[in-house]
Amino acid sequence: MTIKDIADRAGVAKSTVSRVLNNSGYVGIETRKKIEQVIAETNYLPSAMARSLSKQESRTIGVVIPEADNTFFGEVLRGISEVVDKNNLTMIFCNTENNQSKEQKALRMLQEQRVRGLILTPTADYGSPKEARRLKTALDRLNVPILLLDRKVQNPQWDGIYYDNFGGAYQATEALIQAGHKKIGIITGDLSQFHGRERFRGFKQAIYDSGLSVDPAYIYEGDFTTQKAYELTRQMIASGNMPQAVFLSNNLTSLGFIKAIFEVKMRLGKDICCIGFDYVDAFDILNIGFSYVERDTINMGRMAMHMLMDRIAQPDLPRREHIISASLMLRGSERWSE
Amino acid sequence: MTIKDIADRAGVAKSTVSRVLNNSGYVGIETRKKIEQVIAETNYLPSAMARSLSKQESRTIGVVIPEADNTFFGEVLRGISEVVDKNNLTMIFCNTENNQSKEQKALRMLQEQRVRGLILTPTADYGSPKEARRLKTALDRLNVPILLLDRKVQNPQWDGIYYDNFGGAYQATEALIQAGHKKIGIITGDLSQFHGRERFRGFKQAIYDSGLSVDPAYIYEGDFTTQKAYELTRQMIASGNMPQAVFLSNNLTSLGFIKAIFEVKMRLGKDICCIGFDYVDAFDILNIGFSYVERDTINMGRMAMHMLMDRIAQPDLPRREHIISASLMLRGSERWSE
DNA sequence: TTGTAAGCGTTATCAC
DNA sequence: GTGATAACGCTTACAA
């Protein structure tokens, strides 16, 4: 079924059909009726490809994510998707599995598809200048509006939406201090990643600002995985020099920490206190009163898409960054229970 | 940048450039060199739209999923995505949020995009003939190879890949029987959904086959949510007539069950036994020896994509259904601990 | 109010 | 070996 077929069956020219399809220009009431009838009968839908080619504009946006099987990105994806189809756009999805060459390949593909814009969470930290340059080159070639999501690169020239990692960690740490703790520790995330560093920085700043000082003995360098956090917590216990309270740098870190703590029958709020970054559904369900820094992930996806659309509509806007502030959910694990 | 620009810069005709792009037909060694050089210099990439239009074939496949923020589908998505880009295809992604009208809209969009094939998990059970007909109509219109994933509809005419829900539940229940339990209960899933019914059926069959009989008092009709499972378990406890062991119909059901059990300080393997359907990462981490029916989800995505590609390559193949058998992970919760 | 025809960026079929 | 040229399915001046 093509527009030509419709035109023939309705006994008119292609251009007339096109006019009713696009509600553009004048079409006689009778002709319109006839054409609409034929379209309905045949279930004709115009080819988006042909349309884009002719109009020289695409209604497709690319979404490149590093971990499709991570709940965080699943929720972001849901938010993006919601706005995408509210605006009758089409989403091309790529999962890079945190692999730079897959990322490069995805970007080439999106260029071939002539996407209208792109939401991207880069594969890893582009800390090294060489890698950063490589990404920049690929994105410049793409030459469309781009929005960075959740992971910042050095001196980005693109719009971005991020969580306030510094602020979230700062608030959490501050809450621990206000709860009266003096010996406060941290299991950091991967410090080669931007948000890992930011959270660590927030932690330290809160300590300094309170007049306490950061004790190196209480700093455990993790990597955002459950396993590593578990091992570090065991070391912490074995060291015989436990902090009173610990800041946990992400949800997986929280899991590893709790696992190790529970194994030796330590009790939250009795033997040790903590605050984590991000919600862990299981803790809630198991009635562990676990305090954490909360983020509204689905909404992050929605906002991301809106920012991208703004940029598409107004390419000359100054660069924008949106920092979503995190909020604290205190459920008890941050302080000694009476 | 278009093929024309490349042709001009290389001092040849478009058709010659096209030949080197596609490695088709003869091209003089010198001419080829020159053209390749221009392409490299300009970072030219041909338009996929124009290409598809001209070739009359698309390299795009549609993926329609009901819950992007559900880990299960996140993992499936990862598997699909892996095969998609190994084959240089493009994936258009839609999230229906279990909403039939969003699903219909997504299918129309995919038709406009002239996708080459489609992987679909329908929004809900199309139990009612009217709804089933509506889906069939939309899919027939699409007129491309289709693969149903995880959720079966009545008398499907399409290929499908599903888990062996019946078998998984059967095995789990059998394990409870072999552990010596006589009073065996179930919290079912949503029985209006196919897999809910299948799991229930597997449970009942295992009981019959063992010579026991299903006691209606031990059948709790849930809906696959944590909340409902929690409430039912509380009822179960309050009833004063607890079964010895319970089969839990999905991961959320397991969470609700465990929450209720733990609240009243019942101990797994001491006061009550159980087996769940699907892994719950938190249980593992908290060292609850939780037994469950395991599924390899990422691989399901990979297999789905392979089946779709087979179908695209050979449209006349007889209809195929792939049932992935589940396996049992016994970690202790299924039997009384010594 | 409608039809004709050129053009969007490719590929494919011819001649040369 | 290479270059015109006609598709592919649509939109959009412009003419009628």
Side-chain angles (χ1 to χ4, degrees):
Chain A
M1 270 300 149
T2 77
I3 199 174
K4 183 71 170 59
D5 298 321
I6 305 298
D8 290 350
R9 295 195 193 207
V12 298
K14 293 191 302 180
S15 44
T16 309
V17 177
S18 178
R19 268 176 228 121
V20 349
L21 247 24
N22 298 283
N23 277 314
S24 61
Y26 300 95
V27 180
I29 178 80
E30 283 307 320
T31 333
R32 155 165 273 127
K33 275 235 173 64
K34 176 63 184 166
I35 292 174
E36 277 167 351
Q37 184 199 329
V38 174
I39 289 179
E41 280 168 13
T42 54
N43 292 308
Y44 166 75
L45 283 179
S47 153
M49 291 177 325
R51 209 175 239 203
S52 298
L53 191 58
S54 174
K55 289 219 213 192
Q56 287 291 84
E57 62 150 53
S58 103
R59 296 196 58 76
T60 293
I61 70 117
V63 173
V64 181
I65 275 328
E67 301 162 17
D69 52 344
N70 177 328
T71 322
F72 174 80
F73 291 110
E75 288 174 0
V76 167
L77 197 58
R78 173 174 162 183
I80 295 176
S81 171
E82 203 179 296
V83 181
V84 162
D85 57 57
K86 210 163 275 169
N87 290 81
N88 294 311
L89 295 166
T90 293
M91 163 172 155
I92 294 183
F93 175 80
C94 306
N95 182 34
T96 61
E97 297 182 355
N98 276 312
N99 173 327
Q100 276 194 237
S101 80
K102 286 200 178 197
E103 183 176 72
Q104 290 281 329
K105 194 175 165 191
L107 294 177
R108 273 198 301 279
M109 188 270 276
L110 293 171
Q111 192 181 338
E112 291 180 339
Q113 295 291 339
R114 306 292 192 258
V115 291
R116 187 74 178 279
L118 170 65
I119 295 182
L120 167 70
T121 299
T123 52
D125 197 37
Y126 279 84
S128 109
K130 201 179 71 198
E131 289 170 343
R133 177 159 307 284
R134 194 153 162 244
L135 181 64
K136 176 174 163 27
T137 309
L139 293 183
D140 283 347
R141 273 213 267 283
L142 210 46
N143 194 30
V144 296
I146 283 166
L147 181 87
L148 257 30
L149 186 145
D150 191 53
R151 294 186 188 168
K152 194 161 172 171
V153 301
Q154 285 186 328
N155 303 318
Q157 57 186 289
W158 309 282
D159 293 339
I161 182 165
Y162 313 99
Y163 274 107
D164 183 8
N165 291 293
F166 174 86
Y170 188 100
Q171 282 181 66
T173 310
E174 201 176 36
L176 293 176
I177 295 164
Q178 279 170 8
H181 303 293
K182 301 289 179 216
K183 297 156 66 176
I184 300 178
I186 181 174
I187 299 180
T188 74
D190 180 348
L191 297 180
S192 78
Q193 292 186 236
F194 179 74
H195 57 292
R197 289 193 301 271
E198 282 295 287
R199 290 177 198 174
F200 189 26
R201 199 166 66 81
F203 168 81
K204 287 184 292 191
Q205 191 64 48
I207 303 239
Y208 291 137
D209 289 356
S210 74
L212 294 171
S213 63
V214 176
D215 185 337
Y218 297 145
I219 305 211
Y220 289 82
E221 189 174 333
D223 61 3
F224 285 140
T225 68
T226 302
Q227 180 58 28
K228 182 78 179 176
Y230 171 76
E231 288 162 11
L232 290 174
T233 308
R234 290 191 63 99
Q235 284 175 32
M236 192 186 294
I237 296 166
S239 74
N241 180 21
M242 285 287 279
Q244 299 164 312
V246 186
F247 171 66
L248 286 347
S249 293
N250 78 339
N251 51 355
L252 300 178
T253 302
S254 300
L255 282 165
F257 174 80
I258 294 290
K259 173 173 177 151
I261 290 295
F262 280 17
E263 254 177 29
V264 297
K265 308 264 188 261
M266 294 182 91
R267 294 150 307 168
L268 240 35
K270 291 284 194 188
D271 306 304
I272 184 85
C273 294
C274 71
I275 297 190
F277 203 107
D278 273 349
Y279 177 67
V280 179
D281 59 355
F283 290 172
D284 192 18
I285 279 150
L286 298 174
N287 287 314
I288 300 175
F290 185 81
S291 302
Y292 61 96
V293 177
E294 186 184 51
R295 314 193 277 174
D296 182 353
T297 326
I298 299 180
N299 205 38
M300 183 186 208
R302 292 193 197 103
M303 294 178 66
M305 205 36 219
H306 283 132
M307 284 182 72
L308 182 63
M309 288 173 47
D310 287 352
R311 166 68 54 198
I312 290 173
Q314 306 178 53
D316 298 326
L317 240 43
R319 189 169 80 85
R320 288 198 303 173
E321 273 187 2
H322 197 305
I323 312 291
I324 308 180
S325 57
S327 53
L328 220 43
M329 295 296 286
L330 297 180
R331 297 286 176 78
S333 69
E334 81 284 4
R335 58 178 63 247
W336 302 123
S337 47
E338 71 294 331
Chain B
M1 271 301 149
T2 76
I3 200 173
K4 184 68 172 56
D5 298 320
I6 304 298
D8 290 351
R9 296 195 191 208
V12 296
K14 292 191 301 180
S15 40
T16 309
V17 177
S18 177
R19 268 177 227 120
V20 349
L21 248 25
N22 298 284
N23 277 313
S24 60
Y26 301 94
V27 180
I29 177 80
E30 283 307 319
T31 332
R32 155 164 273 125
K33 275 233 172 67
K34 177 65 184 162
I35 292 174
E36 275 167 352
Q37 184 199 329
V38 175
I39 290 179
E41 279 169 13
T42 55
N43 292 307
Y44 164 77
L45 283 178
S47 152
M49 290 176 327
R51 211 174 237 206
S52 296
L53 191 58
S54 175
K55 288 217 206 188
Q56 287 290 88
E57 62 149 52
S58 102
R59 297 196 56 77
T60 293
I61 70 116
V63 174
V64 181
I65 273 336
E67 301 162 16
D69 53 343
N70 177 329
T71 320
F72 174 80
F73 291 109
E75 289 175 358
V76 167
L77 198 56
R78 171 174 165 184
I80 295 176
S81 172
E82 202 180 296
V83 180
V84 162
D85 55 57
K86 208 163 278 171
N87 289 83
N88 295 310
L89 295 166
T90 293
M91 162 170 153
I92 295 183
F93 175 81
C94 306
N95 183 34
T96 61
E97 297 181 355
N98 276 313
N99 173 328
Q100 275 194 239
S101 81
K102 287 202 176 195
E103 182 176 73
Q104 290 280 327
K105 195 175 164 192
L107 294 176
R108 274 198 301 279
M109 189 269 278
L110 293 171
Q111 191 181 339
E112 290 181 340
Q113 294 292 340
R114 306 291 193 259
V115 292
R116 187 76 178 279
L118 170 64
I119 295 182
L120 167 71
T121 300
T123 52
D125 198 36
Y126 279 85
S128 107
K130 202 180 71 203
E131 290 171 343
R133 177 159 308 283
R134 195 153 161 246
L135 181 64
K136 175 175 165 22
T137 309
L139 294 182
D140 283 347
R141 274 213 266 282
L142 211 45
N143 194 30
V144 295
I146 284 165
L147 181 87
L148 257 31
L149 186 144
D150 192 52
R151 293 186 189 168
K152 193 161 172 171
V153 301
Q154 284 185 330
N155 303 318
Q157 57 188 288
W158 309 281
D159 293 339
I161 182 164
Y162 313 98
Y163 275 106
D164 183 7
N165 291 294
F166 174 86
Y170 189 99
Q171 284 180 64
T173 309
E174 202 175 36
L176 293 176
I177 296 165
Q178 278 169 8
H181 303 294
K182 301 289 180 215
K183 296 157 68 177
I184 301 179
I186 182 174
I187 299 179
T188 74
D190 180 349
L191 296 182
S192 79
Q193 293 186 234
F194 179 74
H195 57 293
R197 289 193 301 271
E198 283 295 286
R199 290 176 198 174
F200 188 28
R201 199 166 65 82
F203 167 82
K204 287 185 292 189
Q205 191 65 46
I207 303 238
Y208 291 137
D209 289 355
S210 74
L212 296 170
S213 63
V214 176
D215 185 338
Y218 297 145
I219 305 213
Y220 288 84
E221 190 173 333
D223 61 3
F224 284 140
T225 69
T226 301
Q227 181 58 27
K228 183 75 179 180
Y230 171 76
E231 289 162 11
L232 291 173
T233 309
R234 290 191 62 98
Q235 284 176 33
M236 193 186 293
I237 296 167
S239 74
N241 179 22
M242 285 287 278
Q244 299 164 312
V246 187
F247 171 65
L248 285 348
S249 294
N250 78 340
N251 51 354
L252 300 178
T253 302
S254 299
L255 282 165
F257 174 80
I258 293 291
K259 173 173 177 150
I261 289 297
F262 280 16
E263 253 178 28
V264 297
K265 308 267 188 260
M266 293 182 90
R267 295 150 303 170
L268 239 35
K270 292 283 194 188
D271 305 305
I272 185 84
C273 294
C274 70
I275 296 190
F277 203 106
D278 272 348
Y279 178 67
V280 179
D281 60 355
F283 290 171
D284 192 17
I285 278 149
L286 298 173
N287 287 316
I288 300 175
F290 186 82
S291 302
Y292 61 97
V293 176
E294 186 184 52
R295 313 194 277 173
D296 182 353
T297 327
I298 298 180
N299 204 38
M300 183 186 207
R302 291 193 198 105
M303 294 178 66
M305 205 36 220
H306 282 131
M307 283 182 72
L308 183 62
M309 289 175 47
D310 287 352
R311 165 67 54 197
I312 289 173
Q314 306 177 53
D316 297 327
L317 238 44
R319 189 169 80 87
R320 287 199 303 173
E321 272 186 3
H322 196 305
I323 311 293
I324 308 180
S325 56
S327 53
L328 220 44
M329 295 295 288
L330 297 181
R331 297 286 175 78
S333 70
E334 81 284 5
R335 58 177 64 244
W336 301 121
S337 46
E338 69 297 329

